[in-house]
Amino acid sequence: MSDRLLFLGPPGAGKGTQAQLLAAERGLLHLSTGELLRAEVQAGSELGTEAQAVMARGELVSDALVLAIVKARLLSHDGGWLLDGFPRNLAQAGALRELLDELKQPIEHVVLLQLDDGILLQRLLSRGRDDDNEAVIRNRLEVYREQTAPLIAFYRQLGLIREVEAEGAVEAVASRVSAVVSQPL
Ligand code: B4P
């Protein structure tokens, strides 16, 4: 049973959707930095106010801020976890590696959800969240290509990447995800 997982992929690939299903199925802590940041915005906290404008532009919130959130959650949790939307750049990945070395909790699988830009755009436009208008989505895709996509090589080198085709119905994608994370390490 794999219980330390990371979900990677472009915005709209379905990381949140699939992460939620898998976490429920396996009883894991689902840690979505996007959701945690949106909750801070909703609560009107100082952190949320800082994050709000950045998210509305489709850019990345500061590493220090996101790291502090993730670190606090992982330190206070005992058991398996699934990271969704974090890390999003090499600096975050390096900091995560240090933290997990310290905790002696290495990542077991990195699930990479792959989807064409055209479908990503359609999915996000039909979701219609505050940061889901066309100009902001295009910027998020650009930020993904520049800052997050290099993580694929980083984790591939560590032998952790499990590619999953994210096109098709939610249930179909979920069974592909389940299959790759059930493979022996
Ligand atoms: P996130 O909350 O991570 O959101 P996302 O990448 O846009 O979406 P995701 O891939 O999770 O897609 P979802 O399942 O929702 O990030 C939002 C913002 O937060 C970032 O732009 C950034 O500003 C900030 N942020 C987050 N983490 C950060 C970090 N580590 N560092 C700095 N900043 C950070 O699916 C999308 C839509 O598709 C949904 O409507 C869903 O219902 C639909 N869908 C899913 N699967 C489908 C399927 N198989 N078929 C049809 N529709 C499907």
Side-chain angles (χ1 to χ4, degrees), residues 12 14-17 33 38 59 61 85 88 92 123 127 140 168:
K15 299 181 295 292
T17 306
T33 43
R38 282 187 288 280
E59 285 160 17
V61 173
R88 261 204 168 62
Q92 292 182 9
R123 281 191 188 173
R127 176 172 65 183
R140 281 157 62 198

Side-chain angles (χ1 to χ4, degrees), residues 41-58:
V41 171
Q42 198 73 28
S45 69
E46 201 178 318
L47 194 155
T49 311
E50 197 181 322
Q52 189 168 26
V54 181
M55 292 169 81
R57 291 194 301 272

Side-chain angles (χ1 to χ4, degrees), residues 18-150:
Q18 295 301 329
Q20 205 173 355
L21 290 172
L22 193 67
E25 186 186 307
R26 299 197 169 218
L28 307 176
L29 168 73
H30 174 199
L31 217 162
S32 158
T33 43
E35 258 176 42
L36 292 169
L37 290 168
R38 282 187 288 280
E40 295 288 340
V41 171
Q42 198 73 28
S45 69
E46 201 178 318
L47 194 155
T49 311
E50 197 181 322
Q52 189 168 26
V54 181
M55 292 169 81
R57 291 194 301 272
E59 285 160 17
L60 296 184
V61 173
S62 87
D63 293 342
L65 209 152
V66 176
L67 268 165
I69 296 182
V70 172
K71 193 168 178 176
R73 301 275 161 153
L74 286 182
L75 288 176
S76 64
H77 173 74
D78 210 12
W81 41 257
L82 193 166
L83 301 181
D84 155 22
F86 175 88
R88 261 204 168 62
N89 59 28
L90 286 167
Q92 292 182 9
L96 176 65
R97 183 142 79 163
E98 277 177 28
L99 174 63
L100 296 180
D101 281 351
E102 213 176 286
L103 295 173
K104 297 194 172 39
Q105 294 186 13
I107 296 168
E108 292 170 326
H109 299 281
V110 174
V111 178
L112 172 62
L113 294 176
Q114 310 262 37
L115 197 62
D116 287 348
D117 282 7
I119 308 176
L120 295 172
L121 192 66
Q122 282 316 313
R123 281 191 188 173
L124 293 174
L125 285 174
S126 53
R127 176 172 65 183
R129 209 167 64 193
D130 283 354
D131 56 345
D132 285 339
N133 67 69
E134 187 161 346
V136 173
I137 294 169
R138 290 200 186 280
N139 193 34
R140 281 157 62 198
L141 287 170
E142 194 60 33
V143 169
Y144 173 77
R145 267 188 282 274
E146 282 177 9
Q147 302 196 43
T148 312

